[in-house]
Amino acid sequence: MAAACSRSLCKVGRSFLKTPATVRSGTASFLLGNAATHSSRRGLSSGLPGFRSRLVSSVRAGGGRVLGCAFLLGGGLGLYQTLKLSLQQHLAQEDSKVSGGSPKMTLYQYKTCPFCSKVRAFLDFYGLPYEIVEVNPVMRQEIKWSSYRKVPILMVDAELQLNDSSVIISSLRTLMISKEKSLSDIIRCYPEMKAVNDRGKEVTEYNNKYWLMLSEAQNADVYPAKGMQKEEMKWRQWADDWLVHLISPNVYRTTGEALASFDYIVREGKFGTVEGFFAKYVGAAAMFIISKRLKNRHNLQDDVRQDLYKAVNDWVAAIGKNRKFMGGDQPNLADLAVFGVLRVMEGLQAFDDMMENTKVKHWYRRMERATLNHEGRS
């Protein structure tokens, strides 16, 4: 439609330029007369008695050529915009073909949450496009529509809601491999269970969350060596059940570290001015106290750094000297989980101490490059 209008304008412009001056002036007078009539109806006429006659005279003196050029210019601009829009649509279609028609994904998160960081590491490594909605940890208005009140939450195509970091990762990885399955069908393989923990609090868990729902042939292709699948599942669970619980006691180990940690959280998170102030100072004091309770609950040493060092070195030892990653030449889901958890300490003293006093540095830097370069996409 736009292209047709543009071509019509161009034809009118060319006819103006080719038509004899006397005819052009008559046509111009007719157009300007109509324009003046409409203007007076809208109350926009100049009100000067000689305005119209002088304008028509100026057009007769060469204004027809000006009008023709104006029509040509308008038509040309219209064609340009039409071609530009067509090109953009074509490129978008090509991008969609290249990406395999990836679903639109929106991640609701706290940036400094280790579970959210795990999901980002997975999405980045495999080059899956996604948008981020940073959730205010105080009001949580961004997820008020959800009965599930934790993060991460991943919305797929604005319809399907995925909860729990390990379920999100397992279901998406299954979908990438088993293209014949729908995500809705895959999600049903991870049923939700509610239970009461040892502190009397109701918790939500998910069955099978470390499993990929694959056929025997697909399973053999993904895990060609004996024990690879069990190893991956074991360390994914280790990251959730043990490693993640070492983060808070270490980043809130002293009052100074607690303050530095909350300064980082406030800067990276979504807080209002007043919320940020109270989060930084009141939150730091509260988490310093809570970290001591966490240390007792998880039977950590007085020097919690030693537990962090041991955990990280155990991880590096499990990879061994002959593998770049636990997945071999490429990271597997356990690599991505451990990297995602450790990454939230970057910029804090606990992270610097870990990098200096353990053997994790080379593996960690390889993981940084792998996720930054979306190496899993190929």
Side-chain angles (χ1 to χ4, degrees):
M1 178 66 120
C5 292
S6 299
R7 286 193 294 269
S8 298
L9 284 173
C10 288
K11 287 180 181 178
V12 172
R14 285 195 297 271
S15 67
F16 259 94
L17 294 177
K18 292 178 181 178
T19 305
T22 54
V23 178
R24 280 203 309 265
S25 64
T27 307
S29 300
F30 172 75
L31 291 173
L32 288 170
N34 283 346
T37 302
H38 291 308
S39 296
S40 63
R41 287 175 186 169
R42 292 194 300 264
L44 297 176
S45 180
S46 65
L48 298 176
F51 175 77
R52 179 181 167 187
S53 60
R54 287 198 302 272
L55 187 57
V56 171
S57 299
S58 66
V59 169
R60 286 174 178 170
R65 187 171 297 277
V66 174
L67 276 177
C69 292
F71 275 111
L72 279 174
L73 180 60
L77 287 173
L79 282 173
Y80 167 74
Q81 293 296 336
T82 302
L83 290 172
K84 180 180 176 182
L85 179 61
S86 299
L87 180 61
Q88 288 173 342
Q89 290 172 341
H90 175 72
L91 291 175
Q93 290 171 354
E94 290 300 312
D95 288 343
S96 177
K97 291 177 184 177
V98 171
S99 64
S102 298
K104 180 181 178 181
M105 294 185 286
T106 303
L107 178 65
Y108 293 81
Q109 67 154 21
Y110 307 144
K111 184 175 180 180
T112 55
C113 164
F115 297 106
C116 299
S117 181
K118 279 171 50 185
V119 175
R120 291 199 312 274
F122 170 84
L123 295 172
D124 290 340
F125 174 70
Y126 285 106
L128 299 175
Y130 64 100
E131 296 178 356
I132 287 177
V133 174
E134 191 69 23
V135 176
N136 182 298
V138 179
M139 303 303 295
R140 293 185 289 182
Q141 287 294 309
E142 294 80 6
I143 55 172
K144 65 181 179 180
W145 46 266
S146 172
S147 58
Y148 183 81
R149 302 297 292 165
K150 297 180 180 180
V151 292
I153 294 173
L154 187 74
M155 289 299 298
V156 180
D157 289 332
E159 294 179 353
L160 189 60
Q161 180 176 342
L162 279 63
N163 305 324
D164 186 273
S165 61
S166 293
V167 172
I168 292 170
I169 290 169
S170 293
S171 58
L172 289 180
R173 186 62 181 139
T174 298
L175 181 67
M176 293 168 65
I177 299 167
S178 299
K179 300 185 186 297
E180 71 279 2
K181 296 179 181 178
S182 71
L183 190 55
S184 299
D185 291 335
I186 294 170
I187 285 297
R188 283 195 280 270
C189 297
Y190 304 99
E192 180 182 297
M193 297 188 310
K194 293 190 181 294
V196 178
N197 63 17
D198 54 0
R199 299 188 301 279
K201 182 181 179 181
E202 186 182 81
V203 294
T204 302
E205 264 301 338
Y206 295 86
N207 274 342
N208 312 319
K209 66 181 182 179
Y210 301 112
W211 285 88
L212 301 187
M213 301 303 162
L214 308 174
S215 66
E216 287 188 17
Q218 290 168 339
N219 212 60
D221 187 51
V222 175
Y223 305 108
K226 184 179 180 181
M228 284 184 67
Q229 184 180 28
K230 288 184 177 179
E231 181 183 50
E232 180 185 77
M233 292 171 62
K234 169 190 170 183
W235 288 98
R236 287 182 69 191
Q237 186 169 0
W238 174 83
D240 285 353
D241 293 348
W242 179 242
L243 183 63
V244 75
H245 295 302
L246 300 178
I247 303 300
S248 290
N250 273 278
V251 299
Y252 305 121
R253 185 181 61 155
T254 65
T255 53
E257 286 182 90
L259 192 60
S261 297
F262 261 88
D263 180 67
Y264 168 69
I265 289 171
V266 169
R267 278 188 286 108
E268 297 294 333
K270 185 176 182 179
F271 291 88
T273 305
V274 176
E275 288 174 344
F277 177 83
F278 280 100
K280 180 175 178 179
Y281 294 100
V282 178
M287 285 308 301
F288 173 72
I289 297 170
I290 292 172
S291 68
K292 304 306 177 186
R293 295 179 184 173
L294 292 173
K295 182 174 75 172
N296 295 330
R297 180 185 301 168
H298 298 294
N299 298 314
L300 304 182
Q301 301 178 50
D302 288 337
D303 182 3
V304 292
R305 282 288 196 275
Q306 299 306 313
D307 291 291
L308 177 63
Y309 297 162
K310 182 181 185 305
V312 169
N313 282 329
D314 287 346
W315 164 253
V316 175
I319 296 173
K321 295 181 180 180
N322 299 322
R323 293 189 291 183
K324 292 181 179 179
F325 308 97
M326 183 161 282
D329 289 334
Q330 289 289 320
N332 65 10
L333 299 184
D335 287 291
L336 294 167
V338 174
F339 173 71
V341 170
L342 295 178
R343 182 171 60 174
V344 298
M345 296 190 297
E346 280 197 34
L348 302 175
Q349 185 178 334
F351 180 84
D352 296 337
D353 290 348
M354 177 190 74
M355 295 292 273
E356 184 177 343
N357 295 288
T358 70
K359 300 176 181 179
V360 77
K361 180 183 293 185
H362 296 300
W363 169 85
Y364 189 90
R365 296 307 180 199
R366 285 194 292 268
M367 286 299 304
E368 273 187 325
R369 290 192 294 273
T371 53
L372 183 64
N373 296 328
H374 315 302
E375 291 181 8
R377 181 163 50 192
S378 59

